[in-house]
Amino acid sequence: MKEKLESLKQEALEQIDQAQTADDLQSVRVSYLGKKGPITEVLRGMGKLPAEERPVVGELANKVRQVIAEAIDEKKAIIEEKAINEQLEKESIDVTLPARPVHVGGPHLLTRMISEIEDLFIGMGFEVREGPEVETDYYNFEALNLPKDHPARDMQDSFYITEELLMRTHTSPVQARTMNAYKGNKPVKMICPGKVYRRDTDDATHSHQFMQVEGLYVDKNVRMSDLKGVLNQFAKQFFGEEREIRLRPSFFPFTEPSVEMDISCKVCQGEGCSVCKKTGWIEILGGGMVHPRVLEMAGYDPEIYSGFAFGMGPERIAMLKYGIDDIRHFYTNDRRFLKQYHQA
Ligand code: 2NL
């Protein structure tokens, strides 16, 4: 009987050793330790043994049972650990791998141009103001010395909504409104960026909707030299220290005298090339001294106050800065175009 138990033990331990899975172990457990297993059978048959052998065999059988049970538990722990390790191996992530790039958008080139322009003028003490895109005829035209019979007020040139309302054709009405609000007794130093509308057929250089940044400085003793100083500072900061500016006489209904500002051509350093049409100079913006009628209508006494104003087109400036050949690129949103000007 002892030998039988001993060999059962060896047999079971061998099978446990060979077991690969939890299922294998479970069947070893059932076949050796189960109710119908050989050890249970030995214990059941104890009655037939001589009385003095019973405790010895009983103890041995229990011991064998215990050894097998322990071996199964041990092996089970090993199998479980192996399974966990395999899973960890399979599911491991390499945290040192470079991350997949996340494609984020960025401000539109025009938005960036306008922010840069704003920053430069803020640096010179100007405040930034915005106003409505749907304007009254009064603020868009009348208050800017464009009376009812002025050719610029032709129905063909603007988007009229009613007789009295239209899409603004420039951002000047924001400045006229500001002067009105200050009631003629406070200096004004502002720029106003925004969308404007003209009834044009779109082509490489025309768009029915585009951007404008206008500036206005009204105070006592504001002179043409102040305009020139401010514009010179802007041009050098925006286009580069090495750029020169020049003012040429021009005409606008809302300024007198009026000027246009050129910057020296960067491509040919003033020698003359195709970019500057052989002149050495590139036109950037228009401006002048605020017309006394405009000051007067806004409630400023032109005998006491004077001012300068200017206006520029961010599209034109971006086209010159980056060599963009078609204004429609700004509004057709081809990502191949937009992406080139993305900045983090
Ligand atoms: C241009 C020229 C200009 C102004 C805008 C202005 C505004 C007020 C009074 C007087 Cl409230 N003038 N604005 C003056 C001269 C020129 O714009 O070529 N813009 C793209």
Side-chain angles (χ1 to χ4, degrees):
M1 197 50 88
K2 278 187 199 166
E3 291 81 51
K4 191 180 174 199
L5 282 169
E6 210 38 62
S7 74
L8 272 175
K9 186 174 95 181
Q10 288 313 322
E11 223 177 274
L13 290 179
E14 228 163 84
Q15 288 196 24
I16 291 165
D17 195 45
Q18 280 164 13
Q20 301 284 335
T21 66
D23 282 351
D24 293 350
L25 275 181
Q26 185 57 18
S27 57
V28 174
R29 190 193 293 278
V30 171
S31 58
Y32 285 89
L33 307 179
K35 276 184 194 139
K36 290 172 186 160
I39 294 174
T40 314
E41 205 178 297
V42 169
L43 289 169
R44 253 192 223 125
M46 290 257 285
K48 290 176 199 145
L49 289 175
E52 68 275 14
E53 276 189 40
R54 283 180 206 164
V56 185
V57 173
E59 195 190 332
L60 187 65
N62 279 325
K63 198 134 187 222
V64 168
R65 170 190 274 280
Q66 198 185 338
V67 168
I68 294 172
E70 276 170 15
I72 288 174
D73 287 346
E74 252 171 58
K75 182 68 189 240
K76 195 176 166 209
I78 291 170
I79 288 176
E80 277 170 0
E81 186 174 300
K82 202 171 141 228
I84 285 172
N85 284 337
E86 272 169 13
Q87 194 174 12
L88 285 175
E89 184 77 27
K90 224 171 39 200
E91 293 177 0
S92 72
I93 39 170
D94 181 354
V95 293
T96 67
L97 277 177
R100 285 199 194 95
V102 177
H103 295 286
V104 290
H108 191 276
L109 174 58
L110 278 179
T111 308
R112 263 183 43 219
M113 288 292 101
I114 290 169
S115 303
E116 277 177 40
I117 296 168
E118 285 177 0
D119 287 348
L120 294 182
F121 283 100
I122 288 168
M124 291 188 275
F126 287 74
E127 54 176 328
V128 179
R129 283 183 168 258
E130 292 184 9
E133 289 175 23
V134 175
E135 258 302 352
T136 60
D137 181 273
Y138 178 79
Y139 279 114
N140 194 77
F141 289 132
E142 197 81 29
L144 291 155
N145 198 31
L146 285 148
K148 283 263 187 272
D149 57 357
H150 197 281
R153 291 177 65 153
D154 198 314
M155 293 288 282
Q156 304 299 313
D157 297 329
S158 322
F159 291 112
Y160 274 88
I161 293 160
T162 67
E163 286 262 306
E164 286 304 315
L165 283 178
L166 73 155
M167 302 309 290
R168 67 182 179 192
T169 59
H170 41 201
T171 56
S172 327
V174 183
Q175 298 172 313
R177 284 174 179 279
T178 305
M179 285 192 283
N180 254 46
Y182 287 5
K183 295 188 163 62
N185 51 35
K186 230 169 42 163
V188 183
K189 200 173 182 186
M190 62 180 288
I191 60 164
C192 46
K195 283 197 197 86
V196 300
Y197 303 81
R198 305 247 171 116
R199 220 158 124 172
D200 251 332
T201 303
D202 294 357
D203 63 24
T205 54
H206 296 82
S207 176
H208 63 283
Q209 180 232 282
F210 56 101
M211 293 288 184
Q212 208 189 15
V213 180
E214 283 202 30
L216 175 71
Y217 178 27
V218 176
D219 203 343
K220 289 164 187 164
N221 299 313
V222 176
R223 294 185 285 252
M224 188 74 128
S225 53
D226 298 311
L227 173 64
K228 190 169 180 180
V230 164
L231 293 182
N232 189 40
Q233 184 70 8
F234 164 72
K236 296 212 156 152
Q237 289 191 70
F238 195 86
F239 294 100
E241 263 325 300
E242 70 290 352
R243 296 310 204 53
E244 299 294 324
I245 68 157
R246 76 174 183 187
L247 298 181
R248 282 179 290 106
S250 185
F251 174 82
F252 301 105
F254 20 83
T255 45
E256 183 56 39
S258 301
V259 295
E260 264 164 340
M261 182 183 88
D262 299 337
I263 57 167
S264 53
C265 181
K266 188 169 69 177
V267 179
C268 63
Q269 315 286 351
E271 289 295 306
C273 66
S274 63
V275 175
C276 58
K277 298 191 192 83
K278 301 217 181 350
T279 64
W281 295 94
I282 297 169
E283 186 191 320
I284 292 297
L285 53 79
M289 301 309 291
V290 180
H291 197 291
R293 287 279 300 130
V294 173
L295 288 173
E296 209 166 53
M297 280 186 281
Y300 283 81
D301 182 347
E303 297 295 329
I304 300 169
Y305 282 94
S306 56
F308 68 67
F310 57 86
M312 66 184 102
E315 286 90 347
R316 180 176 162 77
I317 285 173
M319 287 167 88
L320 289 170
K321 192 161 174 162
Y322 294 107
I324 297 161
D325 62 4
D326 195 318
I327 195 171
R328 290 169 293 195
H329 283 311
F330 293 107
Y331 297 106
T332 42
N333 291 331
D334 185 329
R335 291 195 62 244
R336 290 168 301 181
F337 171 78
L338 297 176
K339 267 191 328 202
Q340 297 175 71
Y341 305 101
H342 270 186
Q343 261 179 4

